[in-house]
Amino acid sequence: MLKLADNIRRLQKQVPSAHAVTAGKLVRGIGLTLEAVGCQLPVGSQCLVQTIDGQIEAEVVGFAEHITYLMPTEAVKGIVPGSRVQPLNREQGIGVGMDLLGRVVDGNGLPLDGLGPINIEKRVPLSAQPMNPLLRKPIEQPVDVGVRAINSMITVGSGQRMGLFAGSGVGKSVLLGMMTRGTSADVVVVGLVGERGREVKEFIQDILGEEDRKKAVVVASPADNSPLMRLKGCETAVTIAEYFRDQGLNVLLLIDSLTRYAMAQREIALAVGEPPATKGYPPSVFARLPALVERAGNGGPGQGSITAFYTVLTEGDDLQDPIADAARAILDGHIVLSRALADAGHYPAIDIEASISRVMPMVVSEEHLQKSRRIRQVYSRYQQNRDLITLGAYTKGSDPRIDLAIKAEPVINALLQQGMRQVIPYDESLASMIQLANGLGTE
């Protein structure tokens, strides 16, 4: 027995403890990743890498036998072979608290607005435990977003998760700003991830405005940030929204964009050697998307809700893009912005034919549902015969249904259009829609 105990103690000395953290050194740096030996750290740990210019922060993103893969959170410069890697001993997670309202923070939850430090109540991890779906409250009430086309034709429920599908330059950010100003939610959390730095300031100052910032939190990780910071930007925004939901508040979460989040994960995964699967996207991308999206929604008893809008960039206006296709499958509906409508000066450029809210039948009255369907029928009939009408090939009186569609087309377009600074409440949107539908009669 004594000999066995001696052998166990000898082995324990040879095998490092899970809590014993030692410094290491860099042996290689390729592309976005750094490889280090001698530091046994779990994935997600923070490190300081010594450079000839000072120190930079990095995070452990993987390992292979005795090699630890690190990804810097800032630009890599001044690193030489053998650079010291020192574990960073600090509390994990981000700080949350009610003082976040009105502030602009980065992917780590640190202030970017120059208004001083933020008083935090506690620190929470970026990766929350999945909620038991049976504990979530059902989606039963509509949420007002201040946009008539959405309120009336694509009604969103409190706790719903919607996708906003669009190519570049068709008004995604402007529509998000309209919803921020017009929403009935208690708190708005905006994640600007992977976008141009110019757009971040424009969104905060011009689109959001000083008054609406008081009930909003903006998380900004622009395109020039490292992929790790862009990845954290989305997760930080969701974590902050979860904190406010747990306080019993109704939160509107706007993520711009889910595609940039997927691209950031792709960059990280490819850098550490994960093989690509679908059009260059590794499998981990399609595993992380539902994990992020499922964190939104209604909370349990005593909690509030997170109504989420995720913008999805459809490259070349291709709705069959892998990320767009994956997002449609895990979201509760989608709003498609049309380039043709935007080019025609129709704003917001919402294509109501291609857009749908899957929970709309559960949150609106039967009358509301029937009236919106009637408007869709007439609008769709005009679009189907648009070429004949434009070319003059259609003869008036040939089909009474087409005649009605031609007459109603400008009125329907007027219902679906709205000024950027205009806020139209839910009740007013509903009244306008019902009045229009009553004038269209029935089939």
Side-chain angles (χ1 to χ4, degrees):
M1 291 295 292
L2 290 174
K3 186 175 181 181
L4 178 60
D6 289 340
N7 287 337
I8 292 174
R9 282 192 291 270
R10 178 172 55 80
L11 290 172
Q12 287 175 337
K13 290 179 180 179
Q14 293 176 357
V15 180
S17 165
H19 301 288
V21 177
T22 57
K25 64 177 182 179
L26 293 182
V27 293
R28 189 163 62 164
I30 299 179
L32 299 172
T33 57
L34 307 173
E35 297 180 10
V37 294
C39 52
Q40 297 181 348
L41 295 169
V43 172
S45 299
Q46 306 291 319
C47 302
L48 284 176
V49 180
Q50 188 68 44
T51 72
I52 58 176
D53 300 320
Q55 294 179 324
I56 63 171
E57 283 193 28
E59 183 174 309
V60 178
V61 293
F63 59 86
E65 296 183 353
H66 62 286
I67 300 291
T68 301
Y69 296 105
L70 309 173
M71 182 160 290
T73 59
E74 51 193 286
V76 178
K77 57 182 180 180
I79 292 178
V80 295
S83 293
R84 182 179 174 85
V85 178
Q86 181 68 41
L88 186 57
N89 296 319
R90 71 179 182 192
E91 291 185 89
Q92 297 295 316
I94 65 162
V96 293
M98 296 302 291
D99 282 354
L100 280 167
L101 291 174
R103 301 300 299 270
V104 183
V105 299
D106 65 8
N108 286 323
L110 302 176
L112 289 174
D113 48 17
L115 300 178
I118 300 172
N119 294 323
I120 63 173
E121 297 176 10
K122 60 179 179 178
R123 301 194 77 86
V124 294
L126 284 177
S127 54
Q129 290 295 324
M131 180 180 289
N132 185 339
L134 297 182
L135 296 180
R136 290 185 186 270
K137 294 177 291 186
I139 300 174
E140 297 176 330
Q141 298 295 327
V143 63
D144 185 2
V145 296
V147 180
R148 184 167 52 203
I150 298 176
N151 283 341
S152 60
M153 303 298 297
I154 322 165
T155 309
V156 178
S158 181
Q160 187 174 354
R161 296 159 298 197
M162 291 286 286
L164 194 59
F165 292 74
S168 56
V170 295
K172 295 190 304 297
S173 298
V174 173
L175 182 56
L176 292 182
M178 292 171 67
M179 290 191 284
T180 303
R181 288 190 298 271
T183 183
S184 58
D186 303 313
V187 175
V188 180
V189 179
V190 184
L192 301 176
V193 178
E195 299 301 317
R196 295 180 288 272
R198 174 186 61 80
E199 286 189 338
V200 174
K201 190 169 184 179
E202 282 184 2
F203 185 90
I204 294 168
Q205 292 187 348
D206 301 333
I207 298 177
L208 189 56
E210 206 54 48
E211 187 64 29
D212 296 301
R213 278 181 59 183
K214 294 178 181 178
K215 71 169 187 177
V217 184
V218 178
V219 181
S221 291
D224 59 350
N225 280 189
S226 70
L228 192 61
M229 289 299 291
R230 282 180 267 138
L231 197 72
K232 282 187 172 183
C234 271
E235 295 172 352
T236 296
V238 176
T239 301
I240 292 172
E242 287 175 326
Y243 164 78
F244 288 112
R245 179 199 64 194
D246 293 344
Q247 309 308 306
L249 300 174
N250 293 320
V251 182
L252 179 66
L253 172 65
L254 307 174
I255 298 292
D256 187 14
S257 68
L258 196 64
T259 306
R260 305 299 186 196
Y261 174 81
M263 288 179 174
Q265 174 60 23
R266 177 176 65 178
E267 291 179 49
I268 295 171
L270 293 177
V272 298
E274 188 178 347
T278 307
K279 291 190 177 180
Y281 286 97
S284 63
V285 172
F286 301 101
R288 294 194 75 144
L289 284 177
L292 181 80
V293 169
E294 283 295 323
R295 293 171 64 180
N298 282 336
Q303 296 180 331
S305 65
I306 300 176
T307 306
F309 285 83
Y310 304 90
T311 68
V312 180
L313 183 62
T314 53
E315 297 181 4
D317 297 324
D318 179 17
L319 292 177
Q320 304 307 315
D321 175 84
I323 301 303
D325 198 44
R328 269 201 311 272
I330 57 179
L331 293 169
D332 301 323
H334 51 271
I335 297 172
V336 178
L337 299 187
S338 164
R339 188 173 298 279
L341 290 176
D343 291 344
H346 183 293
Y347 289 103
I350 297 174
D351 183 353
I352 61 169
E353 285 188 293
S355 305
I356 189 171
S357 170
R358 294 178 182 173
V359 305
M360 183 175 175
M362 295 182 283
V363 299
V364 303
S365 66
E366 185 62 28
E367 182 191 19
H368 184 163
L369 203 58
Q370 293 298 331
K371 300 298 184 185
S372 67
R373 284 176 180 169
R374 178 59 180 150
I375 293 174
R376 280 177 181 268
Q377 289 171 352
V378 176
Y379 182 83
S380 179
R381 186 167 294 116
Y382 180 86
Q383 297 302 323
Q384 291 168 4
N385 296 276
R386 185 185 187 91
D387 291 342
L388 290 176
I389 297 167
T390 304
L391 293 173
Y394 173 74
T395 304
K396 185 177 179 181
S398 302
D399 188 334
R401 295 176 303 175
I402 298 178
D403 292 340
L404 175 63
I406 294 172
K407 182 179 178 181
E409 190 264 345
V411 186
I412 295 176
N413 279 335
L415 177 78
L416 301 178
Q417 293 184 63
Q418 185 174 328
M420 187 179 81
R421 295 286 176 186
Q422 191 178 9
V423 174
I424 302 178
Y426 180 84
D427 291 341
E428 185 179 333
S429 303
L430 181 57
S432 300
M433 190 259 310
I434 291 176
Q435 182 181 5
L436 170 59
N438 286 339
L440 299 179
T442 58
E443 282 287 276

